Amino acid sequence: KRKESEVQLEVASVAGENLCSVVATSSWTGFQVKAAVEQVISVPAGARLQLTSQSQIVGDSMTVGELGLQSGMVLQVVMTSSAAGNYSVDGAVGDDKFTRLILNEDGSAGLYRRTHTGQRLRVTEYKKRGTWKHLGSDSVQVHMTALNTIWQSDSDDDVEKEAEHDETLVI
């Protein structure tokens, strides 16, 4: 059986700061390379490490050989938030009642809730805006600072109200 040759990869921040070196083989997957990097550098709680090489994302299932990585090549580390996304809290968009939480990569957040009460007041929509951040564990803190409320009914004109809001949630 032929011994695989080792590939020494340099790992740097997006700013170009050298962070570490990783020695891999051509059969290592992107997942294995990332795991080796995570053993050496500090990854903030809740963050996800991504690696790129020459503007190409190093996918978890692709091998070092498939990616064409060779000794001396530089991989760039990009930290992304694993929690960012669009979450359905209850119901589904389009239902009479639903709640959706949106956590953006830039740290902004939105909570959108729609209720249907029947009677004359047909629909109430709540749109809360604010910020979010990772806590030391797998939790996220959401701080809402603005509330926009819209009341819609069959018989009256829609009423919209914007107000300051101060609410902190830990999810």
Side-chain angles (χ1 to χ4, degrees), residues 102 104 106-111 128-132 142-146:
I102 302 164
N104 298 308
D106 67 0
S108 64
L111 183 69
K128 297 179 183 180
R129 292 185 312 280
T131 59
W132 71 277
V142 181
H143 182 220
M144 297 299 176
T145 55

Side-chain angles (χ1 to χ4, degrees), residues 40-123:
V40 180
I41 70 170
S42 176
V43 178
R48 188 176 74 189
L49 181 134
Q50 291 279 350
L51 296 173
T52 63
S53 173
Q54 300 173 342
S55 301
Q56 177 183 5
I57 294 175
V58 175
D60 283 349
S61 61
M62 293 189 71
T63 67
V64 168
E66 290 170 338
L67 291 163
L69 300 177
Q70 300 172 5
S71 284
M73 291 184 90
V74 177
L75 301 178
Q76 287 189 318
V77 170
V78 178
M79 298 285 185
T80 60
S81 168
S82 60
N86 193 336
Y87 299 92
S88 177
V89 178
D90 60 26
V93 176
D95 289 352
D96 286 341
K97 298 179 181 182
F98 70 90
T99 304
R100 183 175 54 187
L101 175 65
I102 302 164
L103 304 177
N104 298 308
E105 289 285 350
D106 67 0
S108 64
L111 183 69
Y112 181 77
R113 192 171 96 213
R114 179 181 175 135
T115 61
H116 180 89
T117 57
Q119 311 283 331
R120 287 186 61 217
L121 184 62
R122 188 181 67 202
V123 175

